[in-house]
PDB file of all heavy atoms in Angstrom:
ATOM      1  N   GLU X   7     102.964 132.072 142.704  1.00  0.00           N
ATOM      2  CA  GLU X   7     102.815 133.203 143.615  1.00  0.00           C
ATOM      3  C   GLU X   7     101.397 133.275 144.158  1.00  0.00           C
ATOM      4  O   GLU X   7     101.153 133.418 145.351  1.00  0.00           O
ATOM      5  CB  GLU X   7     103.139 134.470 142.806  1.00  0.00           C
ATOM      6  CG  GLU X   7     103.424 135.675 143.616  1.00  0.00           C
ATOM      7  CD  GLU X   7     104.461 135.441 144.646  1.00  0.00           C
ATOM      8  OE1 GLU X   7     105.538 134.922 144.284  1.00  0.00           O
ATOM      9  OE2 GLU X   7     104.191 135.736 145.808  1.00  0.00           O
ATOM     10  N   ARG X  10     100.562 130.560 146.611  1.00  0.00           N
ATOM     11  CA  ARG X  10     101.169 130.748 147.918  1.00  0.00           C
ATOM     12  C   ARG X  10     100.388 131.760 148.734  1.00  0.00           C
ATOM     13  O   ARG X  10     100.112 131.539 149.917  1.00  0.00           O
ATOM     14  CB  ARG X  10     102.609 131.223 147.760  1.00  0.00           C
ATOM     15  CG  ARG X  10     103.289 131.296 149.091  1.00  0.00           C
ATOM     16  CD  ARG X  10     104.711 131.281 149.015  1.00  0.00           C
ATOM     17  NE  ARG X  10     105.072 131.445 147.611  1.00  0.00           N
ATOM     18  CZ  ARG X  10     105.979 132.222 147.182  1.00  0.00           C
ATOM     19  NH1 ARG X  10     106.632 132.895 148.012  1.00  0.00           N
ATOM     20  NH2 ARG X  10     106.253 132.333 145.908  1.00  0.00           N
ATOM     21  N   GLN X  25      96.102 120.465 153.539  1.00  0.00           N
ATOM     22  CA  GLN X  25      96.460 119.429 152.565  1.00  0.00           C
ATOM     23  C   GLN X  25      95.333 118.448 152.356  1.00  0.00           C
ATOM     24  O   GLN X  25      95.283 117.748 151.356  1.00  0.00           O
ATOM     25  CB  GLN X  25      97.736 118.713 152.992  1.00  0.00           C
ATOM     26  CG  GLN X  25      97.617 117.987 154.291  1.00  0.00           C
ATOM     27  CD  GLN X  25      99.008 117.740 154.863  1.00  0.00           C
ATOM     28  OE1 GLN X  25      99.915 118.537 154.660  1.00  0.00           O
ATOM     29  NE2 GLN X  25      99.158 116.655 155.564  1.00  0.00           N
ATOM     30  N   ARG X  30      92.243 115.127 148.137  1.00  0.00           N
ATOM     31  CA  ARG X  30      91.062 114.515 148.730  1.00  0.00           C
ATOM     32  C   ARG X  30      90.950 113.071 148.312  1.00  0.00           C
ATOM     33  O   ARG X  30      91.212 112.733 147.173  1.00  0.00           O
ATOM     34  CB  ARG X  30      89.824 115.231 148.239  1.00  0.00           C
ATOM     35  CG  ARG X  30      89.508 116.454 149.009  1.00  0.00           C
ATOM     36  CD  ARG X  30      88.539 117.251 148.251  1.00  0.00           C
ATOM     37  NE  ARG X  30      87.208 116.726 148.430  1.00  0.00           N
ATOM     38  CZ  ARG X  30      86.193 117.462 148.836  1.00  0.00           C
ATOM     39  NH1 ARG X  30      86.393 118.707 149.127  1.00  0.00           N
ATOM     40  NH2 ARG X  30      85.008 116.952 148.941  1.00  0.00           N
ATOM     41  N   LEU X  39      91.405 129.851 138.323  1.00  0.00           N
ATOM     42  CA  LEU X  39      91.185 131.289 138.401  1.00  0.00           C
ATOM     43  C   LEU X  39      90.371 131.729 137.205  1.00  0.00           C
ATOM     44  O   LEU X  39      90.689 131.377 136.077  1.00  0.00           O
ATOM     45  CB  LEU X  39      92.545 131.987 138.363  1.00  0.00           C
ATOM     46  CG  LEU X  39      92.532 133.441 138.743  1.00  0.00           C
ATOM     47  CD1 LEU X  39      92.447 133.530 140.223  1.00  0.00           C
ATOM     48  CD2 LEU X  39      93.769 134.113 138.258  1.00  0.00           C
ATOM     49  N   GLU X  49      87.285 117.760 139.096  1.00  0.00           N
ATOM     50  CA  GLU X  49      87.817 117.586 137.747  1.00  0.00           C
ATOM     51  C   GLU X  49      86.710 117.369 136.732  1.00  0.00           C
ATOM     52  O   GLU X  49      86.737 117.890 135.621  1.00  0.00           O
ATOM     53  CB  GLU X  49      88.748 116.385 137.791  1.00  0.00           C
ATOM     54  CG  GLU X  49      89.360 116.030 136.474  1.00  0.00           C
ATOM     55  CD  GLU X  49      90.008 114.668 136.550  1.00  0.00           C
ATOM     56  OE1 GLU X  49      90.349 114.244 137.664  1.00  0.00           O
ATOM     57  OE2 GLU X  49      90.145 114.038 135.502  1.00  0.00           O
ATOM     58  N   LYS X  50      85.665 116.625 137.166  1.00  0.00           N
ATOM     59  CA  LYS X  50      84.541 116.344 136.249  1.00  0.00           C
ATOM     60  C   LYS X  50      83.906 117.649 135.788  1.00  0.00           C
ATOM     61  O   LYS X  50      83.673 117.869 134.607  1.00  0.00           O
ATOM     62  CB  LYS X  50      83.478 115.552 137.007  1.00  0.00           C
ATOM     63  CG  LYS X  50      83.463 114.094 136.670  1.00  0.00           C
ATOM     64  CD  LYS X  50      82.257 113.419 137.254  1.00  0.00           C
ATOM     65  CE  LYS X  50      82.315 113.442 138.739  1.00  0.00           C
ATOM     66  NZ  LYS X  50      81.157 113.746 139.474  1.00  0.00           N
ATOM     67  N   ALA X  55      83.029 122.562 132.240  1.00  0.00           N
ATOM     68  CA  ALA X  55      83.085 124.029 132.163  1.00  0.00           C
ATOM     69  C   ALA X  55      84.020 124.490 131.072  1.00  0.00           C
ATOM     70  O   ALA X  55      83.905 125.609 130.593  1.00  0.00           O
ATOM     71  CB  ALA X  55      83.546 124.596 133.508  1.00  0.00           C
ATOM     72  N   ALA X  56      84.962 123.645 130.682  1.00  0.00           N
ATOM     73  CA  ALA X  56      85.900 124.064 129.639  1.00  0.00           C
ATOM     74  C   ALA X  56      85.191 124.251 128.316  1.00  0.00           C
ATOM     75  O   ALA X  56      85.719 124.900 127.421  1.00  0.00           O
ATOM     76  CB  ALA X  56      86.995 123.024 129.495  1.00  0.00           C
ATOM     77  N   CYS X  69      83.161 129.228 144.770  1.00  0.00           N
ATOM     78  CA  CYS X  69      84.085 130.355 144.777  1.00  0.00           C
ATOM     79  C   CYS X  69      84.707 130.455 146.159  1.00  0.00           C
ATOM     80  O   CYS X  69      83.998 130.596 147.153  1.00  0.00           O
ATOM     81  CB  CYS X  69      83.343 131.636 144.432  1.00  0.00           C
ATOM     82  SG  CYS X  69      84.402 133.065 144.536  1.00  0.00           S
ATOM     83  N   PHE X  70      86.034 130.367 146.241  1.00  0.00           N
ATOM     84  CA  PHE X  70      86.701 130.484 147.531  1.00  0.00           C
ATOM     85  C   PHE X  70      86.984 131.928 147.870  1.00  0.00           C
ATOM     86  O   PHE X  70      87.010 132.291 149.027  1.00  0.00           O
ATOM     87  CB  PHE X  70      88.019 129.696 147.510  1.00  0.00           C
ATOM     88  CG  PHE X  70      87.918 128.392 148.204  1.00  0.00           C
ATOM     89  CD1 PHE X  70      86.797 127.608 148.068  1.00  0.00           C
ATOM     90  CD2 PHE X  70      88.934 127.931 149.001  1.00  0.00           C
ATOM     91  CE1 PHE X  70      86.684 126.395 148.702  1.00  0.00           C
ATOM     92  CE2 PHE X  70      88.843 126.716 149.647  1.00  0.00           C
ATOM     93  CZ  PHE X  70      87.731 125.946 149.498  1.00  0.00           C
ATOM     94  N   LYS X  75      92.878 143.970 143.062  1.00  0.00           N
ATOM     95  CA  LYS X  75      93.717 144.568 142.018  1.00  0.00           C
ATOM     96  C   LYS X  75      95.185 144.560 142.407  1.00  0.00           C
ATOM     97  O   LYS X  75      96.066 144.526 141.559  1.00  0.00           O
ATOM     98  CB  LYS X  75      93.269 146.016 141.766  1.00  0.00           C
ATOM     99  CG  LYS X  75      92.013 146.107 140.933  1.00  0.00           C
ATOM    100  CD  LYS X  75      92.361 146.164 139.487  1.00  0.00           C
ATOM    101  CE  LYS X  75      91.246 145.905 138.504  1.00  0.00           C
ATOM    102  NZ  LYS X  75      89.918 146.245 138.768  1.00  0.00           N
ATOM    103  N   ILE X  83      82.559 134.206 151.834  1.00  0.00           N
ATOM    104  CA  ILE X  83      81.745 133.391 152.745  1.00  0.00           C
ATOM    105  C   ILE X  83      81.408 132.053 152.110  1.00  0.00           C
ATOM    106  O   ILE X  83      81.135 131.066 152.796  1.00  0.00           O
ATOM    107  CB  ILE X  83      80.474 134.168 153.130  1.00  0.00           C
ATOM    108  CG1 ILE X  83      79.745 133.465 154.266  1.00  0.00           C
ATOM    109  CG2 ILE X  83      79.553 134.327 151.967  1.00  0.00           C
ATOM    110  CD1 ILE X  83      80.311 133.777 155.578  1.00  0.00           C
ATOM    111  N   TYR X  92      87.395 121.755 158.868  1.00  0.00           N
ATOM    112  CA  TYR X  92      88.822 121.608 159.174  1.00  0.00           C
ATOM    113  C   TYR X  92      89.333 122.695 160.095  1.00  0.00           C
ATOM    114  O   TYR X  92      90.521 122.816 160.292  1.00  0.00           O
ATOM    115  CB  TYR X  92      89.635 121.673 157.879  1.00  0.00           C
ATOM    116  CG  TYR X  92      89.274 120.610 156.882  1.00  0.00           C
ATOM    117  CD1 TYR X  92      88.804 120.948 155.636  1.00  0.00           C
ATOM    118  CD2 TYR X  92      89.420 119.277 157.197  1.00  0.00           C
ATOM    119  CE1 TYR X  92      88.489 119.979 154.717  1.00  0.00           C
ATOM    120  CE2 TYR X  92      89.099 118.302 156.293  1.00  0.00           C
ATOM    121  CZ  TYR X  92      88.639 118.659 155.045  1.00  0.00           C
ATOM    122  OH  TYR X  92      88.329 117.709 154.132  1.00  0.00           O
ATOM    123  N   LYS X  94      90.678 124.968 162.993  1.00  0.00           N
ATOM    124  CA  LYS X  94      91.467 124.612 164.158  1.00  0.00           C
ATOM    125  C   LYS X  94      90.918 125.281 165.424  1.00  0.00           C
ATOM    126  O   LYS X  94      90.882 124.682 166.476  1.00  0.00           O
ATOM    127  CB  LYS X  94      92.913 125.050 163.954  1.00  0.00           C
ATOM    128  CG  LYS X  94      93.638 124.130 163.017  1.00  0.00           C
ATOM    129  CD  LYS X  94      95.052 124.527 162.823  1.00  0.00           C
ATOM    130  CE  LYS X  94      95.852 124.197 164.046  1.00  0.00           C
ATOM    131  NZ  LYS X  94      97.286 124.242 163.776  1.00  0.00           N
ATOM    132  N   LYS X 100      76.442 132.675 171.972  1.00  0.00           N
ATOM    133  CA  LYS X 100      75.125 132.373 172.533  1.00  0.00           C
ATOM    134  C   LYS X 100      74.043 132.830 171.578  1.00  0.00           C
ATOM    135  O   LYS X 100      74.242 133.753 170.797  1.00  0.00           O
ATOM    136  CB  LYS X 100      74.977 133.110 173.859  1.00  0.00           C
ATOM    137  CG  LYS X 100      75.922 132.622 174.916  1.00  0.00           C
ATOM    138  CD  LYS X 100      75.507 133.136 176.268  1.00  0.00           C
ATOM    139  CE  LYS X 100      76.482 132.634 177.291  1.00  0.00           C
ATOM    140  NZ  LYS X 100      76.891 133.689 178.206  1.00  0.00           N
ATOM    141  N   PRO X 101      72.876 132.193 171.665  1.00  0.00           N
ATOM    142  CA  PRO X 101      71.801 132.540 170.728  1.00  0.00           C
ATOM    143  C   PRO X 101      71.395 134.003 170.805  1.00  0.00           C
ATOM    144  O   PRO X 101      71.049 134.614 169.797  1.00  0.00           O
ATOM    145  CB  PRO X 101      70.635 131.649 171.168  1.00  0.00           C
ATOM    146  CG  PRO X 101      71.172 130.673 172.120  1.00  0.00           C
ATOM    147  CD  PRO X 101      72.528 131.082 172.537  1.00  0.00           C
ATOM    148  N   PHE X 107      75.221 139.663 166.072  1.00  0.00           N
ATOM    149  CA  PHE X 107      76.477 139.425 165.361  1.00  0.00           C
ATOM    150  C   PHE X 107      76.245 139.318 163.874  1.00  0.00           C
ATOM    151  O   PHE X 107      77.013 139.826 163.061  1.00  0.00           O
ATOM    152  CB  PHE X 107      77.115 138.153 165.914  1.00  0.00           C
ATOM    153  CG  PHE X 107      78.347 137.737 165.198  1.00  0.00           C
ATOM    154  CD1 PHE X 107      79.491 138.522 165.243  1.00  0.00           C
ATOM    155  CD2 PHE X 107      78.384 136.563 164.478  1.00  0.00           C
ATOM    156  CE1 PHE X 107      80.633 138.141 164.585  1.00  0.00           C
ATOM    157  CE2 PHE X 107      79.528 136.169 163.824  1.00  0.00           C
ATOM    158  CZ  PHE X 107      80.654 136.957 163.878  1.00  0.00           C
ATOM    159  N   TYR X 109      74.110 140.718 162.144  1.00  0.00           N
ATOM    160  CA  TYR X 109      73.847 142.016 161.540  1.00  0.00           C
ATOM    161  C   TYR X 109      75.034 142.945 161.630  1.00  0.00           C
ATOM    162  O   TYR X 109      74.904 144.120 161.350  1.00  0.00           O
ATOM    163  CB  TYR X 109      72.614 142.650 162.176  1.00  0.00           C
ATOM    164  CG  TYR X 109      71.360 142.121 161.545  1.00  0.00           C
ATOM    165  CD1 TYR X 109      70.634 141.121 162.149  1.00  0.00           C
ATOM    166  CD2 TYR X 109      70.944 142.587 160.314  1.00  0.00           C
ATOM    167  CE1 TYR X 109      69.506 140.611 161.554  1.00  0.00           C
ATOM    168  CE2 TYR X 109      69.813 142.079 159.708  1.00  0.00           C
ATOM    169  CZ  TYR X 109      69.096 141.090 160.325  1.00  0.00           C
ATOM    170  OH  TYR X 109      67.985 140.586 159.741  1.00  0.00           O
ATOM    171  N   HIS X 112      79.549 143.916 167.097  1.00  0.00           N
ATOM    172  CA  HIS X 112      80.584 143.138 167.798  1.00  0.00           C
ATOM    173  C   HIS X 112      79.941 142.224 168.820  1.00  0.00           C
ATOM    174  O   HIS X 112      78.819 142.442 169.257  1.00  0.00           O
ATOM    175  CB  HIS X 112      81.543 144.089 168.508  1.00  0.00           C
ATOM    176  CG  HIS X 112      82.303 144.956 167.561  1.00  0.00           C
ATOM    177  ND1 HIS X 112      83.290 144.471 166.730  1.00  0.00           N
ATOM    178  CD2 HIS X 112      82.206 146.282 167.304  1.00  0.00           C
ATOM    179  CE1 HIS X 112      83.769 145.447 166.006  1.00  0.00           C
ATOM    180  NE2 HIS X 112      83.137 146.571 166.332  1.00  0.00           N
ATOM    181  N   SER X 135      77.316 129.035 165.663  1.00  0.00           N
ATOM    182  CA  SER X 135      76.198 129.289 166.574  1.00  0.00           C
ATOM    183  C   SER X 135      76.118 128.135 167.557  1.00  0.00           C
ATOM    184  O   SER X 135      76.829 127.139 167.417  1.00  0.00           O
ATOM    185  CB  SER X 135      74.899 129.396 165.781  1.00  0.00           C
ATOM    186  OG  SER X 135      74.502 128.116 165.368  1.00  0.00           O
ATOM    187  N   MET X 136      75.243 128.251 168.511  1.00  0.00           N
ATOM    188  CA  MET X 136      75.167 127.203 169.536  1.00  0.00           C
ATOM    189  C   MET X 136      74.733 125.883 168.943  1.00  0.00           C
ATOM    190  O   MET X 136      74.990 124.833 169.494  1.00  0.00           O
ATOM    191  CB  MET X 136      74.197 127.615 170.642  1.00  0.00           C
ATOM    192  CG  MET X 136      74.858 128.187 171.871  1.00  0.00           C
ATOM    193  SD  MET X 136      76.611 128.018 171.919  1.00  0.00           S
ATOM    194  CE  MET X 136      76.869 127.419 173.518  1.00  0.00           C
TER     195      MET X 136
END
Side-chain angles (χ1 to χ4, degrees):
Chain X
E7 197 52 51
R10 185 160 10 135
Q25 62 200 32
R30 276 165 80 126
L39 193 78
E49 178 193 337
K50 256 190 295 137
C69 176
F70 258 40
K75 283 270 165 31
I83 191 82
Y92 301 120
K94 284 181 73 165
K100 294 194 180 134
F107 175 66
Y109 277 99
H112 296 290
S135 74
M136 261 350 227

